[in-house]
C-alpha cells in the first residue's frame, strides 16, 4: 500500500513537472503543502468528483492561488473530469489549468484566486452562507446543510489587509465550520518574510476569537490529521491550523529558498528532486496503485448517495422546503418573480415627490425583499446612509443568525470579497452598500466578481459632488468611468424611482455583478409614456423628444437628468429641436442591437452634449469629435450641493448655453 508521503509526492511530481513543461509557474507552495492536501482530500473532505455541484459538499478555497498546480493535481488525482492532458497544458492558452485557478465548478474549482487574501474572504463568505442556510433549512434529525469550508492561505494572504477584515468578521460571527490552514513557510517572493512580516500569527487569530492550533508540522501527515480533528471538534470558533512547511519540499537545492517560489526548478533540479523524493516515474506518469489510492469517485458517489437518502427523507417530510432549497442553490428566481418585478415597477411609478435614489432604492427593496428571501443585504457601516436595510428585518448578530441583514463593519473590501463567496456558495443574492468613492477600497473584489460573473449587487450611494459638505475626499469623480471600464460589470446610475426599480430588477435577473449608483440628494420623478417606461430596461432611451428631426442631443444620467430635462424643455420652447436621452446603464445600452442604438442616438446628429457629474473620459465615445462633455475632471469641493453643482457648471442655464454654442457650429 502506498504511504501518505508517496501519495503526497504525486502532487509534488505533477507540480514540478507541469511548471517545468510550461517553464512558468510556482512549484514551491504545492510541494510544501502536498502533505496537508493529501490528508485533507483523502481523509477529510466531503466531495464527489462525479458531481462537483453537490450542494452539501465541503467547500475548498486555495487562497494562495499561485499554488494552482496543487489544486489541479488533486482534482486530477481524485477523479474530477480534468485529464492529464490538461495538467500537461498547464498555463497554456485555452486550457482548463490557467496560471491561477479560475472559478470552474465542472472541475471542482469553487472560486478564482490569485489576488492574495481574497480567497480567505471568499471562504468566510461561504462559511457564513452555510451557517445561514443550515439555520433556515435544517430540521431536527435532518441536517441537509452541514458542511465545512476549508481554506489554504500563505504568508501573502496573511499580509494582505483583506485577510484581517474577513478573519476579524469570521471570529466575531463565530463561523465554527471554517477551517483555515496557514502555509507557514517563511518565504515570499523577496525572500525570508521575517524581514517584513514578523507577526505572531497565532496571537493575531486568537485576538480575533479564532481557535488556533499552532506549530503543526505541515509535512507530517499524522500531525496534520490530528490538527484537523481538533479543528472539526471545535464547533463555535473558526479554526486556524498553523502548518510549518518547507517551500519546494524535496527539491534539494531550492527548498526553503525564494528560488522555489515562482520559477521552474530546471531539468537538473527536477531530476534531483525525483531522487530525493524517491519518485522514479517519468514526468506526468502516476503509477496505477497511487492513482487508485487517490481516486475518490466511488467513495464520493457513496457519500453523496448517503446524503441523497437523507435529502429524500427531508423532501418527504418538508416537500416545499426541499424544493425551495434546491431552487435557491440553483440560483433560479421564484416562479412569482415576474409579479414581484411588476409590483416593484408599479410602486415606483406611484412616486411623484422628489426623492433621492438611495430612498427609491430602499423603496424597491421593501417591495422585493419580503418576496425574495435570497436577497440578503448589508452595509459597510453606512446602513442609514446607504438605505440598504429592508423594512421589518433585523440584523444577524454573532449570537442570533435569524436576522436578514449584515452590519459588515467598516470593511468594504472584505464585505465585497465575502459577498463573492456567498454568491459562489449559492443560496443567496448578496448586496452590500458603501459610498461610491469607497468602491476603490473594494475594487479588486469587484473585479473578481466580474471575472467570475458572480451575482453580487453593489449599492454605491453618495454618487457625486452632490453629496455636498463632506467634500472632495468623499466626492467620487473618476469612479463611474473606472467601474464602467470593467468587463462584465453592469452599472446603473438611475435618475428617479422607476429607473431605480428597473435597475434592481436587472441586477437580480443578471448572472454577474451589478453596481447601483445612487444619490444622496433628492431628484424629481420624470414623466414617461408606457413605451418609455419599457425602454428603461434598454439602458438608454429617449426621455424627451422634440417635434421633427432633432438638431442636437443631450445625453445625461442620474442626478443630471433633472437639469438636463429643464434645459431641453427651455431649448425646445425657444424653437430648437433637442432630444434628451437618459442613459442609466451604458453597458446595457451598448449591448442593444444597432438599429435600436441608431434610433436613440442617430449618427446624423453630431451636435451632442453629455452631462454627468463625473470624469468626462468615457463620454467622448458617445458625443464624438464634434460633441461636448459637461463633466468634472478635477476633484470636487466641500459645500452645499446647491452651491457645489453650479460651481462646476451643472445648471440648466449652462446646459442651454452649451447646446446653443454647439448649434452655432
Ligand atoms: C494582491 C497580490 N499582490 C501580489 C501578488 C503577487 N504575488 C504572488 S505570490 C506572492 C508572494 C506570496 O508569498 P507566500 O504567500 O508566502 O507564497 P509562497 O512563497 O509560500 O509560495 C506575491 C507577492 C498577488 N498574487 N496578489
Amino acid at each position: 500500500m502506498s504511504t501518505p508521503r508517496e501519495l503526497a509526492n504525486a502532487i509534488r511530481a505533477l507540480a514540478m513537472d507541469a511548471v517545468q513543461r510550461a517553464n512558468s509557474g510556482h512549484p514551491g507552495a504545492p510541494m510544501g503543502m502536498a502533505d496537508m492536501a493529501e490528508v485533507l482530500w483523502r481523509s477529510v473532505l466531503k466531495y464527489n468528483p462525479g458531481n462537483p455541484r453537490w450542494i452539501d459538499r465541503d467547500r475548498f478555497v486555495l487562497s494562495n492561488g499561485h499554488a494552482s498546480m496543487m489544486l489541479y493535481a488533486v482534482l486530477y488525482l481524485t477523479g474530477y473530469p480534468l485529464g492529464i492532458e490538461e495538467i500537461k497544458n498547464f498555463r497554456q492558452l485555452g486550457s482548463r489549468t490557467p496560471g491561477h485557478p479560475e472559478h470552474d465548478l465542472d472541475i471542482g474549482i469553487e472560486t478564482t484566486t490569485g489576488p492574495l487574501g481574497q480567497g480567505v474572504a471568499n471562504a468566510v463568505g461561504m462559511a457564513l452562507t452555510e451557517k445561514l442556510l443550515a439555520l433556515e433549512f435544517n430540521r431536527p434529525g435532518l441536517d441537509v446543510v452541514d458542511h465545512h469550508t476549508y481554506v489554504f492561505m500563505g504568508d501573502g494572504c496573511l499580509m494582505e489587509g483583506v485577510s484581517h477584515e474577513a478573519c476579524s468578521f469570521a471570529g466575531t460571527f463565530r463561523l465554527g465550520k471554517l477551517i483555515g490552514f496557514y502555509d507557514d513557510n517563511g518565504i515570499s517572493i523577496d525572500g525570508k518574510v521575517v524581514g517584513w512580516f514578523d507577526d505572531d500569527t497565532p496571537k493575531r487569530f486568537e485576538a480575533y476569537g479564532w481557535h488556533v492550533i499552532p506549530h503543526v508540522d505541515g509535512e507530517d501527515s499524522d500531525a496534520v490529521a490530528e490538527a484537523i480533528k481538533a479543528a472539526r471538534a471545535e464547533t463555535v470558533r473558526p479554526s486556524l491550523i498553523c502548518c510549518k512547511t518547507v517551500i519546494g519540499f524535496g527539491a534539494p537545492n531550492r527548498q526553503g529558498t525564494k528560488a522555489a517560489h515562482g520559477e521552474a526548478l530546471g531539468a537538473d533540479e527536477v531530476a534531483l528532486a525525483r531522487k530525493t523524493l524517491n519518485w522514479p516515474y517519468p514526468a506526468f506518469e502516476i503509477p496505477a496503485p497511487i492513482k487508485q489510492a487517490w481516486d475518490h469517485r466511488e467513495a464520493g458517489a457513496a457519500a453523496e448517495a448517503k446524503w441523497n437518502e437523507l435529502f429524500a427523507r427531508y423532501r418527504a417530510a418538508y416537500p416545499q422546503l426541499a424544493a425551495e432549497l434546491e431552487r435557491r442553490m440553483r440560483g433560479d428566481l421564484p416562479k412569482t418573480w415576474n409579479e414581484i418585478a411588476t409590483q416593484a415597477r408599479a410602486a415606483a411609478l406611484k412616486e411623484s415627490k422628489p426623492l433621492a435614489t438611495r430612498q427609491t432604492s430602499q423603496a424597491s427593496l421593501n417591495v422585493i425583499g419580503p418576496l425574495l428571501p435570497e436577497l440578503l443585504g448589508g452595509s459597510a457601516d453606512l446602513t442609514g446612509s446607504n438605505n440598504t436595510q429592508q423594512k421589518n428585518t433585523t440584523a444577524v448578530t454573532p449570537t442570533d443568525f435569524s436576522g436578514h441583514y449584515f452590519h459588515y463593519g467598516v470593511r468594504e473590501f472584505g464585505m465585497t470579497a465575502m459577498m463573492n463567496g456567498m454568491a459562489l456558495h449559492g443560496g443567496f443574492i448578496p448586496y452590500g452598500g458603501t459610498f461610491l468613492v469607497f468602491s476603490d477600497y473594494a475594487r479588486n473584489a469587484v473585479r473578481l466578481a466580474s471575472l467570475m460573473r458572480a451575482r453580487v449587487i453593489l449599492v454605491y450611494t453618495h454618487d457625486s459632488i452632490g453629496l455636498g459638505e463632506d467634500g472632495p475626499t468623499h466626492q467620487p469623480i473618476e469612479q463611474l468611468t473606472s467601474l464602467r471600464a470593467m468587463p462584465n460589470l453592469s452599472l446603473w446610475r438611475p435618475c428617479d424611482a422607476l429607473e431605480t426599480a428597473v435597475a434592481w430588477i436587472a441586477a437580480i435577473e443578471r448572472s454577474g455583478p451589478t453596481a447601483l449608483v445612487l444619490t444622496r440628494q433628492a431628484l424629481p420623478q420624470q414623466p414617461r409614456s408606457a413605451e418609455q417606461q419599457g425602454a428603461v430596461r434598454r439602458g438608454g432611451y429617449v426621455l424627451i423628444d422634440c417635434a421633427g428631426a432633432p438638431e442636437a442631443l443631450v445625453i445625461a444620467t442620474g442626478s443630471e437628468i433633472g437639469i438636463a430635462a429643464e434645459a431641453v424643455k427651455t431649448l425646445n420652447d425657444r424653437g430648437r429641436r433637442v432630444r434628451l436621452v437618459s442613459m442609466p446603464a451604458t453597458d446595457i445600452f451598448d449591448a442593444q442591437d444597432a438599429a435600436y442604438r441608431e434610433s436613440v442616438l442617430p449618427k446624423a446628429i453630431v451636435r451632442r452634449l453629455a452631462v454627468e457629474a463625473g470624469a468626462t473620459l468615457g463620454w467622448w465615445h458617445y458625443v464624438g469629435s464634434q460633441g461636448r462633455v459637461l463633466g468634472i475632471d478635477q476633484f470636487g469641493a466641500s459645500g452645499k450641493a446647491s452651491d457645489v453643482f453650479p460651481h462646476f457648471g451643472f445648471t440648466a442655464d449652462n446646459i442651454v448655453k452649451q447646446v446653443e454654442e454647439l448649434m452655432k457650429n
Side-chain angles (χ1 to χ4, degrees):
M1 225 174 62
S2 312
T3 62
R5 173 52 55 81
E6 281 171 310
L7 295 168
N9 284 346
I11 300 175
R12 294 191 169 97
L14 288 172
M16 66 182 184
D17 288 339
V19 173
Q20 187 61 29
R21 184 174 164 130
N23 196 21
S24 160
H26 302 79
M31 294 175 82
M33 299 190 297
D35 297 290
M36 290 150 57
E38 187 275 326
V39 177
L40 185 64
W41 290 79
R42 289 194 60 257
S43 312
V44 181
L45 211 65
K46 181 168 78 167
Y47 64 104
N48 178 10
N51 180 15
R53 289 186 161 73
W54 171 20
I55 64 180
D56 199 38
R57 67 187 182 282
D58 286 336
R59 303 307 196 263
F60 175 82
V61 177
L62 184 72
S63 188
N64 42 356
H66 60 278
S68 57
M69 259 318 300
M70 185 214 87
L71 186 55
Y72 301 145
V74 164
L75 295 173
Y76 160 67
L77 290 166
T78 53
Y80 281 87
L82 183 75
I84 194 73
E85 284 313 310
E86 292 289 357
I87 302 289
K88 289 182 185 168
N89 270 333
F90 178 53
R91 289 186 160 237
Q92 304 311 305
L93 190 64
S95 76
R96 298 292 280 278
T97 50
H100 294 87
E102 294 177 18
H103 173 57
D104 186 352
L105 216 44
D106 290 334
I107 55 167
I109 297 176
E110 303 280 352
T111 179
T112 297
T113 52
L116 296 169
Q118 281 190 72
V120 178
N122 292 166
V124 172
M126 290 176 186
L128 187 67
T129 305
E130 193 270 350
K131 190 165 170 175
L132 287 163
L133 290 174
L135 190 81
E136 185 177 349
F137 287 98
N138 288 350
R139 290 295 178 270
L142 295 166
D143 288 349
V144 291
V145 180
D146 184 13
H147 51 268
H148 282 78
T149 301
Y150 297 92
V151 52
F152 280 13
M153 58 189 108
D155 295 301
C157 294
L158 291 181
M159 280 187 257
E160 287 290 354
V162 68
S163 69
H164 166 70
E165 295 182 23
C167 293
S168 153
F169 183 93
T172 300
F173 281 85
R174 304 182 186 181
L175 303 181
K177 283 158 94 177
L178 173 64
I179 300 179
F181 294 74
Y182 168 29
D183 177 41
D184 179 8
N185 62 24
I187 294 288
S188 64
I189 292 181
D190 283 357
K192 290 197 167 78
V193 299
V194 66
W196 46 90
F197 180 52
D198 194 21
D199 296 4
D200 187 332
T201 296
K203 278 197 183 146
R204 169 182 164 192
F205 277 75
E206 274 164 21
Y208 291 152
W210 285 51
H211 163 229
V212 179
I213 304 169
H215 313 305
V216 175
D217 179 350
E219 254 86 49
D220 175 347
S221 53
D222 289 338
V224 172
E226 267 312 298
I228 297 176
K229 217 167 127 194
R232 286 171 56 93
E234 165 67 53
T235 56
V236 177
R237 296 171 296 168
S239 292
L240 182 72
I241 304 174
C242 300
C243 294
K244 272 269 170 224
T245 63
V246 177
I247 192 168
F249 183 92
N253 300 302
R254 293 257 173 131
Q255 66 179 15
T257 72
K258 66 179 185 180
H261 167 91
E263 55 188 276
L265 296 177
D268 293 348
E269 182 75 356
V270 168
L272 287 173
R274 282 195 143 70
K275 285 213 174 80
T276 312
L277 295 169
N278 195 18
W279 185 267
Y281 318 108
F284 301 105
E285 260 188 53
I286 306 295
I290 292 184
K291 183 78 172 68
Q292 249 160 32
W294 266 105
D295 193 334
H296 194 72
R297 284 174 295 188
E298 225 171 273
E304 189 182 351
K306 204 168 141 211
W307 181 85
N308 284 338
E309 188 270 327
L310 175 77
F311 198 72
R313 283 193 281 127
Y314 180 77
R315 194 195 302 282
Y318 305 101
Q320 277 174 353
L321 269 184
E324 178 70 356
L325 176 60
E326 289 180 316
R327 177 189 77 74
R328 296 257 300 263
M329 291 302 293
R330 277 196 309 271
D332 291 347
L333 293 171
K335 286 201 187 73
T336 50
W337 169 246
N338 285 340
E339 289 143 47
I340 301 169
T342 304
Q343 269 187 48
R345 268 191 300 265
L349 283 168
K350 283 200 194 114
E351 302 286 6
S352 55
K353 293 192 307 290
L355 289 168
T357 48
R358 61 176 171 150
Q359 290 173 299
T360 58
S361 166
Q362 166 102 60
S364 290
L365 273 174
N366 287 345
V367 175
I368 299 170
L371 305 169
L372 193 69
E374 58 265 49
L375 194 62
L376 180 62
S379 165
D381 205 42
L382 286 167
T383 296
S385 300
N386 299 145
N387 295 33
T388 32
Q389 187 161 5
Q390 299 162 26
K391 71 173 176 202
N392 302 329
T393 59
T394 54
V396 174
T397 72
T399 50
D400 181 0
F401 261 60
S402 65
H404 199 69
Y405 187 75
F406 277 100
H407 296 296
Y408 284 104
V410 191
R411 299 181 178 103
E412 297 81 9
F413 191 7
M415 171 178 78
T416 311
M418 286 191 273
M419 292 201 302
N420 288 349
M422 295 165 83
L424 293 168
H425 180 285
F428 289 105
I429 303 172
Y431 67 90
T434 184
F435 290 155
L436 176 60
V437 80
F438 301 133
S439 64
D440 287 341
Y441 272 59
R443 190 176 170 89
N444 203 264
V446 179
R447 188 168 193 273
L448 286 183
S450 300
L451 191 55
M452 294 189 274
R453 295 183 190 276
R455 184 164 42 174
V456 297
I457 302 175
L458 310 153
V459 180
Y460 293 144
T461 68
H462 295 59
D463 70 340
S464 75
I465 53 165
L467 66 82
E469 295 88 338
D470 272 340
T473 54
H474 284 51
Q475 294 168 344
I477 298 292
E478 72 283 16
Q479 282 68 21
L480 279 167
T481 305
S482 76
L483 287 169
R484 285 186 186 127
M486 200 179 281
N488 298 351
L489 178 69
S490 191
L491 182 144
W492 287 82
R493 186 170 186 253
C495 74
D496 67 359
L498 181 70
E499 285 192 1
T500 311
V502 171
W504 267 106
I505 292 162
I508 288 166
E509 290 179 357
R510 185 163 197 262
S511 52
T514 302
L516 304 179
V517 176
L518 309 170
T519 64
R520 171 183 184 233
Q521 74 279 14
L523 309 178
Q525 307 304 322
Q526 297 299 327
R528 290 179 189 82
S529 67
E531 194 192 334
Q532 286 172 317
Q533 289 168 15
V536 174
R537 188 61 194 261
R538 306 189 83 155
Y541 61 100
V542 178
L543 182 63
I544 299 177
D545 218 355
C546 47
E551 304 163 276
L553 296 175
V554 176
I555 310 168
T557 78
S559 52
E560 285 64 76
I561 286 288
I563 49 169
E566 215 182 302
V568 166
K569 279 180 215 149
T570 304
L571 286 159
N572 288 341
D573 286 347
R574 288 182 190 169
R576 299 291 192 185
R577 298 193 310 278
V578 182
R579 168 183 286 186
L580 174 61
V581 172
S582 177
M583 185 83 82
T586 55
D587 59 289
I588 293 182
F589 179 75
D590 291 348
Q592 302 300 312
D593 60 75
Y596 178 76
R597 283 183 280 123
E598 172 66 18
S599 75
V600 177
L601 302 177
K603 277 187 203 70
I605 308 171
V606 294
R607 294 177 182 120
R608 300 179 176 198
L609 174 71
V611 185
E612 185 173 74
T616 61
L617 185 67
W619 287 107
W620 297 103
H621 163 62
Y622 297 96
V623 299
S625 57
Q626 297 179 62
R628 287 188 182 191
V629 182
L630 173 55
I632 311 175
D633 289 321
Q634 67 190 84
F635 290 113
S638 174
K640 289 190 187 63
S642 54
D643 292 334
V644 176
F645 269 121
H647 176 74
F648 286 101
F650 290 90
T651 60
D653 285 350
N654 188 33
I655 294 173
V656 167
K657 183 172 150 247
Q658 300 277 337
V659 174
E660 285 188 329
E661 281 175 15
L662 272 174
M663 299 264 208
K664 285 190 194 131
N665 300 330

